Amino acid sequence: MDCSREELLIATIARLLEGCRHVAVGELSPIPGAAAFLARQRDDRVTVLGRLKNNMFTNGGVELFDCAAQGRIDAFFIGGGQIDGEANINLIGTGDYPRTEVRWPGCFGTAFLYAMVPRVILFRQEHSRRVLVPRVDFISAPGTSAPGVYRRGGPYALITNMALFAFDTARRRFRLESVHPGASLEAVLDNTGFDFDRPDEVAQTPAPDAETLSLMRGPVAREIARTYPRFAASLFPDAAEDAKRLTGHLPG
Amino acid sequence: MTSNRIVDSVDALVAGVRDRAMVAVPRDTSGVSMAATAALIRRRARGLHLVCVPTSGLQADLLIGAGCVATIETSAVTLGEFGLAPRFTAAVKAGTIELKDATCPAIHAGLQAAQKGIPFMPLRGVLGSDLVSHRDDWKVIDNPFAETAGDPILLLPAIRPDVALFHAPRADRHGNVWIGRQRELMTMAHAARETLVTVEAIVDDDLLASDETAAGTIPSLYVSAVAEAEFGARPLAFWDAYPAEAVQISEYVRLARSQDGFARYVARYLGGGEATTAAE
């Protein structure tokens, strides 16, 4: 079955969400957002929370964090300018803080959510030694915590344009789970700046089946077009056209 | 009767923001008063301590570029799908603003402490982040209620802004302000000494008269002044009322790469005339 790279990522992330009830996604995370919508297509008890159109929250910006603190959020996504082999995340910048050479937006809620949400999926499309570094320049959110520090969440998996890794908290290391079609183990090794575990035989990330693709291209695409119009326009042009007609203005 | 809280211009409204004031402003989706932002730049505000609740975008970038900001306390500054915030980025690199990097729930917690009149608020998580070592106003203690020794927990000091400044759909003639589900605006108003609001419209109804509107209304007792400013969030989107002006924001991103370009943007869109840049 032919599918795009984005569709492969969406289907793979949706698999990582199996068993989750409440999934939170960010405003600028169309691929994780699509994956959460896909998971909801499969199980209508799934709720997708975050800064989406018609979101459920009525208590302001604090509610997502309170909800996570109450243990109600099962999965969340974090990107990262840099990610290291112990799953530390840097969203601040490169070089010495505060006068970093490159400055990114900032930590957002990650320093809190990484500790509170059981299944945090690290998602960064670029798979390079610039992103996947031996040691982050600034720890926005730590991958693991010292014994005795309250923590009920953390890294679950890392997915990039090339591969899927699982995180082993006890070993504080990633383990390569599968390499996406079109990429190779050699390319993954060449482009990863940290050491990771891997099995003798590395699997290929399975492509979505026909039913998954039709869900993605139908109802999921329409939901995506409402929430992430610019992304939908490039990935699902038909659904974006529909949304444009319905809302009466150009996406973005 | 119209309350004297209702002022007749946005320029009169921002006269309540003194230089060096701590000013709390909401994230882009909640109701950013870009009308008041332009007025602050026109009146050449200086030395502001901006508290972003919990992030900011174009508003912070404009105020930084115009030289209004000494300190920024925020969980992020970003123009969202338009990319990085150029004047913020330049100011960080040049070291011309003091950074108080935070994480979203820490800013909410600090405001909640001020709302309750208590000195601090504890927050789970965050320990192990380099944020903690760079924030000398944050403290870690052992949970005094823990059954066994240890259990470190982060304490955030109360954030008590001099001014909360935002945009809302409507106010009534008494100065009650309807904010619907954007409850962080309520928290900001409770925490701040003064609350200054621009609104799309001033209406004749009493917003507190009906339960339908009262639950989403900031009572005038927290509100210092309100000014009408139709489309006062533009070029940002405002709730579902109007979308972002993508062309204008894209032009900002292009021009604001340099301080000169930034000055041209300000002159063109903010009516700032000649003397509004930080480059002096």
Side-chain angles (χ1 to χ4, degrees):
Chain A
M1 180 63 66
D2 273 350
C3 75
S4 69
R5 171 61 48 85
E6 286 81 4
E7 287 169 334
L8 179 83
L9 295 171
I10 292 166
T12 305
I13 294 170
R15 267 206 325 277
L16 298 171
L17 295 176
E18 272 167 23
C20 291
R21 286 286 301 278
H22 304 303
V23 179
V25 297
E27 194 168 16
L28 291 173
S29 309
I31 289 176
F37 290 140
L38 176 58
R40 190 169 68 188
Q41 284 295 321
R42 296 222 172 95
D43 180 350
D44 66 6
R45 291 169 305 171
V46 172
T47 57
V48 183
L49 302 168
R51 295 199 218 157
L52 311 168
K53 293 242 186 275
N54 309 317
N55 86 76
M56 292 182 140
F57 290 137
T58 56
N59 199 32
V62 77
E63 188 169 358
L64 169 68
F65 306 104
D66 287 350
C67 208
Q70 294 151 13
R72 295 180 200 272
I73 302 211
D74 302 314
F76 183 67
F77 303 91
I78 299 180
Q82 292 178 329
I83 299 167
D84 71 23
E86 295 190 14
N88 298 308
I89 305 302
N90 176 7
L91 295 163
I92 286 281
T94 62
D96 290 334
Y97 185 84
R99 289 182 67 175
T100 41
E101 291 152 31
V102 174
R103 169 71 201 209
W104 299 316
C107 298
F108 294 95
T110 58
F112 175 78
L113 293 171
Y114 211 22
M116 305 306 282
V117 177
R119 208 178 282 190
V120 176
I121 296 165
L122 305 176
F123 173 65
R124 179 73 203 252
Q125 283 182 268
E126 178 179 334
H127 191 132
S128 70
R129 286 177 178 262
R130 183 175 89 126
V131 172
L132 305 178
V133 296
R135 184 76 188 163
V136 294
D137 291 359
F138 186 101
I139 299 176
S140 292
T144 59
S145 297
V149 173
Y150 180 91
R151 181 162 193 162
R152 68 156 105 97
Y156 178 71
L158 163 65
I159 180 163
T160 69
N161 267 345
M162 280 191 199
L164 170 68
F165 300 84
F167 189 71
D168 183 330
T169 301
R171 289 171 52 78
R172 300 161 73 127
R173 279 172 74 84
F174 285 105
R175 176 185 170 85
L176 183 63
E177 289 288 306
S178 64
V179 173
H180 304 336
S184 65
L185 175 61
E186 288 65 37
V188 170
L189 288 165
D190 284 350
N191 290 286
T192 306
F194 54 74
D195 289 332
F196 54 87
D197 297 330
R198 62 188 158 100
D200 295 336
E201 287 289 320
V202 179
Q204 189 176 76
T205 309
D209 59 22
E211 186 220 340
T212 303
L213 274 178
S214 73
L215 281 176
M216 259 193 277
R217 291 170 184 175
V220 172
R222 284 191 292 276
E223 246 173 317
I224 283 297
R226 280 197 292 275
T227 305
Y228 306 99
R230 286 179 172 228
F231 172 75
S234 65
L235 186 60
F236 304 113
D238 294 346
E241 275 300 312
D242 289 347
K244 194 164 74 181
R245 271 200 305 279
L246 290 171
T247 59
H249 63 260
L250 286 166
Chain B
M1 192 193 108
T2 297
S3 161
N4 56 13
R5 286 187 180 85
I6 310 298
V7 298
D8 59 12
S9 75
V10 180
D11 290 301
L13 184 84
V14 304
V17 182
R18 289 173 297 280
D19 284 356
R20 290 176 296 284
M22 182 191 282
V23 182
V25 294
R27 60 183 175 162
D28 280 358
T29 51
S30 290
V32 175
S33 182
M34 293 303 289
T37 306
L40 283 171
I41 292 171
R42 280 196 297 273
R43 88 148 186 77
R44 305 176 72 182
R46 288 294 177 264
L48 300 181
H49 176 151
L50 212 55
V51 177
C52 309
V53 185
T55 62
S56 187
L58 185 62
Q59 179 178 37
D61 209 57
L62 278 166
L63 290 169
I64 290 168
C68 304
V69 178
T71 301
I72 185 163
E73 188 165 356
T74 190
S75 306
V77 181
T78 172
L79 303 184
E81 60 184 338
F82 296 93
L84 296 173
R87 296 333 292 160
F88 166 70
T89 309
V92 169
K93 196 160 188 170
T96 51
I97 51 171
E98 185 194 349
L99 287 177
K100 289 166 87 83
D101 267 293
T103 185
C104 304
I107 289 181
H108 291 302
L111 291 169
Q112 287 172 316
Q115 183 177 36
K116 294 174 195 305
I118 54 180
F120 60 84
M121 187 73 86
L123 183 69
R124 282 298 193 192
V126 193
L127 303 179
S129 165
D130 286 341
L131 288 174
V132 178
S133 47
H134 288 284
R135 286 295 299 260
D136 53 17
D137 54 339
W138 291 3
K139 292 187 190 309
V140 179
I141 62 160
D142 282 342
N143 169 10
F145 294 96
E147 286 169 13
T148 55
D151 191 17
I153 188 165
L154 179 68
L155 305 183
L156 294 320
I159 299 173
R160 185 157 194 222
D162 295 306
V163 177
L165 178 65
F166 52 83
H167 187 70
R170 57 189 185 271
D172 65 21
R173 297 198 179 278
H174 308 288
N176 302 307
V177 177
W178 186 74
I179 50 110
R181 69 175 87 182
Q182 306 296 333
R183 304 290 298 188
E184 61 267 37
L185 301 177
M186 185 78 81
T187 306
M188 286 163 60
H190 289 181
R193 292 179 175 86
E194 310 267 346
T195 292
L196 306 176
V197 189
T198 56
V199 291
E200 288 291 310
I202 290 170
V203 297
D204 290 329
D205 312 345
D206 178 349
L207 291 168
L208 294 180
S210 147
D211 282 339
E212 299 274 326
T213 50
T217 294
I218 302 176
S220 63
L221 76 97
Y222 303 101
V223 177
S224 310
V226 179
E228 195 169 59
E230 195 182 9
F231 300 114
R234 276 187 177 166
L236 296 176
F238 183 54
W239 301 13
D240 287 331
Y242 42 88
E245 306 269 300
V247 172
Q248 189 182 327
I249 299 174
S250 301
E251 189 175 5
Y252 177 78
V253 171
R254 187 174 59 78
L255 286 172
R257 278 185 219 141
S258 74
Q259 190 66 41
D260 286 349
F262 175 83
R264 284 203 298 282
Y265 177 91
V266 168
R268 189 173 306 164
Y269 289 105
L270 277 62
E274 75 310 342
T276 48
T277 80
E280 49 200 66

